[in-house]
Amino acid sequence: QVQLVESGGGLVQTGGSLRLSCAASGRIFSINVMGWYRQAPGKQREMVARITSGLSTSYADSVKGRFTISRDNAKNTMYLQMNSLKPEDTAVYYCNADWIRSEYGFKNDIWGQGTQVTVSS
């Protein structure tokens, strides 16, 4: 089965950096748009950054200039470099793919299990 697995979360001080990774497992043929989302306690899940298969990117205003999304299509892996972290960035970060084509066919709206990012003040 196709899965997305995040890694790289943790505890960091204000102003620090973290790099998240999201790897798709299975025999993957192609992945369309991938994105990072986050959900803080008591808040709705929000989009952080998205990247197309052609490497076009978009960001939430709150992270522009601090976060950088990238992907390696050959490795079926997406990254989120987070710099100048703030306490308000504290959340569970999830990766998403709008669809993946694999040996099992098409699968839509796939989510990873999430990774915790905590920024201390």
Side-chain angles (χ1 to χ4, degrees), residues 22-96:
C22 170
S25 64
R27 188 173 176 217
I28 307 294
F29 299 143
S30 59
I31 305 175
N32 195 36
V33 179
M34 300 184 77
W36 289 99
Y37 295 75
R38 66 187 181 187
Q39 187 167 21
K43 295 188 176 181
Q44 288 189 332
R45 190 173 297 188
E46 62 175 358
M47 190 276 289
V48 175
R50 301 174 79 225
I51 185 166
T52 69
S53 57
L55 307 183
S56 295
T57 60
S58 58
Y59 296 90
D61 287 343
S62 59
V63 305
K64 281 181 182 176
R66 299 188 299 122
F67 291 10
T68 302
I69 189 171
S70 61
R71 64 190 279 180
D72 184 332
N73 289 330
K75 296 181 179 179
N76 297 316
T77 302
M78 174 180 63
Y79 307 95
L80 185 67
Q81 178 66 44
M82 304 185 293
N83 299 327
S84 303
L85 283 160
K86 305 175 182 180
E88 50 264 43
D89 294 317
T90 295
V92 177
Y93 284 70
Y94 298 89
C95 68
N96 171 268

Side-chain angles (χ1 to χ4, degrees), residues 10-16 18 85-91 117-121:
L11 174 64
V12 65
Q13 291 185 333
T14 297
L18 283 173
L85 283 160
K86 305 175 182 180
E88 50 264 43
D89 294 317
T90 295
V117 171
T118 303
V119 184
S120 63
S121 57

